[in-house]
Amino acid sequence: MTANITFFPVGNGDMTLVKLGDSDETAILIDINIRNAADDDDDDACDVAAELRKRLKKNSKGRPYVDAFLLSHPDQDHCNSLQKHFHLGPVDEYEDEPEEGEELKIFIREMWSSPMIFRRASKNNTLCEEAKAFQKEARRRVKVYRDKNGTEIEEGDRIKIIGEDENGKTDGLEKIIVKVDETFSEINGKNNSYVSIYVLGPVPKQELEEDEEKIAKNHSSVILRFSLSSSRGKKDACLFLTGGDAEVAIWEALWKKHKDNADCLKYDMLLSSHHCSWHVLSYDSWSDSEDPKVNADAKAALSQTIEGAFIISSSVAIKDDTADPPCMGAKDEYISILKYDKERFFCTGEHPSEKNNEPLEFSITDEGPQPPAKKKGPFMATAGIMTSREPLGHG
Ligand SMILES: [Zn+2]
């Protein structure tokens, strides 16, 4: 069927829709950043809410839905406008007749949430209102699960916990927890043969050399590596690595842990962490140090490309200045990871042009992920970069 990944142009923020190739066209949304400007008809910014809705199916009651919604971590630029566009609360409180000018809210069949990430985030900062709303809904769903002893949980009440919490706080939830280093294929209560998802993070405390406070500052995030089948059902047609805003200490720890068997870090497509921030690759400041050094382990963790891989920056346009994020120095490092094939690096704020952003959509074929065809211009007018690669030896 469809099998594709769409990165919406949301400035320095994330909003990614993964659609599977199954006949249900299962939709997994990772983060949202729907800014007011994008919601304002008079503004030129890409109307990402409309672009998202266009790609979602409606259920038998006419409600638009996502099969799963993951919040990688609770920063504003990853959950902006959650309450405006998504239904939160019991299923029977869904409003089928919205007020004039309002749209039907998007129904979340299954939430994916990481209590450990929330705890780390709230240690340093107060959570934004949208994050609090997400957390409240996650807690409601966990309560439904506990009250019903985990049986007959309906969509709209379903939740998956990513990573165990500390001190037994997630005890009794074993059936809905996916631990770090586990793989899952069950989405919204159904096993899906078109995907398997490896959980790399949140990286547990004992695997980091830092104290919890520093981890929190390093933007601890849920890190997933998707193995996606093509539209025609070919397994592992696209390995997609996405890690929210995880920064250098996290990637360094992941390399130390997996370097002897780094298959779980391999990718055809990487969403560069933290909007192409330099701090994903370095402990030094980009603008303040004279000679900012790349951390070799963090870079190694992010260098496990399969031939023909793509790297995407979900950010505003990347300029040759001292800005961070997005940072030109980080972009240069990613291009080196892509063996200097600049055509395989994409920035949502530059697609198709800096002035006129559109969602960046890759289709997943048997030959791997395919970028959008180039529309006009002096180069190719048709197929963009067609890629093909050797079959994977695993999966
Ligand atoms: Zn962010």
Side-chain angles (χ1 to χ4, degrees):
M1 296 289 284
T2 48
N4 57 43
I5 306 179
T6 305
F7 303 91
F8 296 88
V10 294
N12 291 343
D14 281 357
M15 180 159 156
T16 309
L17 180 68
V18 178
K19 288 194 87 174
L20 306 185
D22 59 336
S23 56
D24 291 338
E25 298 177 41
T26 298
I28 304 164
L29 181 62
I30 307 169
D31 296 338
I32 49 160
N33 186 26
I34 304 171
R35 297 163 297 168
N36 288 336
D39 250 359
D40 177 354
D41 291 342
D42 297 330
D43 197 287
D44 285 347
C46 176
D47 187 346
V48 291
E51 291 290 344
L52 170 65
R53 285 168 178 276
K54 219 157 74 178
R55 289 166 170 79
L56 299 182
K57 293 187 21 173
K58 292 189 171 135
N59 69 10
S60 57
K61 294 189 169 126
R63 302 168 178 172
Y65 67 86
V66 292
D67 291 280
F69 178 89
L70 165 71
L71 182 58
S72 70
H73 68 294
D75 284 356
Q76 178 87 22
D77 58 313
H78 295 256
C79 54
N80 214 348
S81 281
L82 178 75
Q83 297 171 91
K84 181 174 175 194
H85 289 282
F86 290 79
H87 173 71
L88 306 172
V91 180
D92 59 11
E93 287 177 15
Y94 187 92
E95 189 50 76
D96 283 300
E97 283 165 20
E99 288 178 24
E100 225 188 294
E102 301 269 307
E103 286 176 283
L104 285 171
K105 295 212 169 157
I106 300 167
F107 185 69
I108 301 170
R109 289 179 156 179
E110 180 173 77
M111 274 176 112
W112 295 357
S113 174
S114 176
M116 193 201 290
I117 297 284
F118 268 88
R119 198 163 31 68
R120 285 175 179 169
S122 45
K123 211 163 234 177
N124 279 23
N125 298 298
T126 44
L127 295 175
C128 65
E129 290 306 313
E130 304 289 7
K132 282 183 191 160
F134 183 94
Q135 189 178 40
K136 186 178 164 204
E137 175 64 2
R139 287 180 173 153
R140 184 192 71 78
R141 292 182 183 215
V142 166
K143 186 171 183 309
V144 170
Y145 181 86
R146 289 196 195 272
D147 289 351
K148 291 179 146 187
N149 290 318
T151 53
E152 291 177 41
I153 307 297
E154 305 284 340
E155 58 185 40
D157 285 335
R158 293 200 178 110
I159 181 162
K160 212 182 274 308
I161 308 280
I162 313 288
E164 275 176 301
D165 204 358
E166 61 174 17
N167 304 331
K169 285 183 189 131
T170 40
D171 284 359
L173 302 176
E174 287 76 11
K175 281 196 183 141
I176 52 168
I177 294 179
V178 194
K179 293 183 200 165
V180 170
D181 294 323
E182 286 181 350
T183 301
F184 69 98
S185 294
E186 194 193 86
I187 294 164
N188 182 36
K190 269 185 278 184
N191 221 53
N192 196 310
S193 61
Y194 282 74
V195 68
S196 76
I197 303 168
Y198 187 93
V199 180
L200 284 150
V203 175
K205 187 176 166 180
Q206 57 273 19
E207 290 173 15
L208 288 156
E209 284 165 15
E210 315 225 342
D211 54 30
E212 277 283 295
E213 216 144 285
K214 281 200 193 129
I215 300 170
K217 282 198 189 115
N218 254 280
H219 297 277
S220 187
S221 293
V222 172
I223 304 173
L224 302 178
R225 207 282 309 272
F226 289 76
S227 303
L228 299 162
S229 296
S230 70
S231 311
R232 300 191 337 170
K234 182 171 180 253
K235 297 260 180 216
D236 296 332
C238 176
L239 303 184
F240 170 47
L241 177 59
T242 177
D245 283 359
E247 290 196 334
V248 57
I250 308 282
W251 295 105
E252 184 185 25
L254 283 173
W255 184 247
K256 289 199 166 111
K257 179 176 173 181
H258 295 293
K259 63 183 171 189
D260 294 329
N261 185 4
D263 266 6
C264 59
L265 287 163
K266 279 202 174 134
Y267 64 85
D268 295 287
M269 188 165 290
L270 169 71
L271 177 60
S272 68
S273 275
H274 202 187
H275 328 301
C276 206
S277 163
W278 178 249
H279 288 288
V280 171
L281 294 159
S282 173
Y283 285 98
D284 302 333
S285 158
W286 177 249
S287 51
D288 297 341
S289 2
E290 251 171 42
D291 182 21
K293 295 265 187 306
V294 168
N295 178 277
D297 283 350
K299 188 173 174 184
L302 293 163
S303 297
Q304 303 307 305
T305 53
I306 290 167
E307 204 176 329
F310 295 94
I311 298 179
I312 287 89
S313 173
S314 185
S315 66
V316 298
I318 305 169
K319 313 265 184 192
D320 194 0
D321 57 19
T322 54
D324 183 23
C327 171
M328 182 57 87
K331 176 181 172 179
D332 289 343
E333 293 299 326
Y334 289 122
I335 286 175
S336 81
I337 290 170
L338 297 174
K339 303 193 177 77
Y340 301 97
D341 187 347
K342 289 183 186 161
E343 297 277 306
R344 294 185 186 278
F345 183 91
F346 284 81
C347 171
T348 54
E350 298 169 13
H351 176 77
S353 70
E354 190 183 338
K355 280 226 163 72
N356 175 28
N357 291 171
E358 289 170 13
L360 172 59
E361 188 172 312
F362 288 77
S363 56
I364 300 167
T365 70
D366 289 0
E367 283 74 45
Q370 306 296 330
K374 282 188 182 165
K375 282 184 180 159
K376 283 184 207 125
F379 306 111
M380 296 249 300
T382 49
I385 318 159
M386 283 301 285
T387 59
S388 67
R389 56 167 165 72
E390 291 300 302
L392 284 169
H394 60 93

